[in-house]
Amino acid sequence: MNNFRIAKIIIAFSSLSYLSVSFLRNYNSPENIEKRCILKFEKDFKNNLETSNEEWNQILDLADNNYYKCMGTPQY
């Protein structure tokens, strides 16, 4: 009985560890990071008709910098 309980605990811990590693590997894949960053900063790229050209260029530069920061790409 005691061996069965220990085996259940080991199986549960192993399964939880495997699922955690699998989730983190998938969550931190470059494709998923890019999708999250695009969705996060997509609203910054929508042009309002009321904004001037200079203001729109500043908005795009800021959104571009934030996107690269989100992706972890170094900026020079």
Side-chain angles (χ1 to χ4, degrees):
M1 182 86 173
N2 198 15
N3 288 338
F4 184 65
R5 180 179 287 170
I6 292 172
K8 285 192 323 187
I9 291 172
I10 290 172
I11 290 171
F13 180 73
S14 298
S15 299
L16 186 60
S17 297
Y18 175 75
L19 289 174
S20 298
V21 168
S22 177
F23 170 76
L24 289 174
R25 186 179 303 153
N26 185 33
Y27 185 77
N28 290 329
S29 70
E31 295 86 18
N32 286 335
I33 292 173
E34 184 177 4
K35 286 178 188 176
R36 285 194 307 270
C37 291
I38 287 173
L39 289 174
K40 186 175 181 180
F41 297 106
E42 192 174 49
K43 65 179 183 278
D44 292 341
F45 287 106
K46 293 183 180 171
N47 187 1
N48 291 335
L49 297 175
E50 301 156 355
T51 58
S52 67
N53 209 8
E54 295 108 16
E55 186 179 358
W56 177 242
N57 286 335
Q58 289 176 348
I59 291 170
L60 285 179
D61 287 340
L62 181 62
D64 203 31
N65 290 338
N66 288 337
Y67 173 75
Y68 285 125
K69 189 184 299 180
C70 177
M71 289 290 294
T73 306
Q75 297 173 345
Y76 297 102

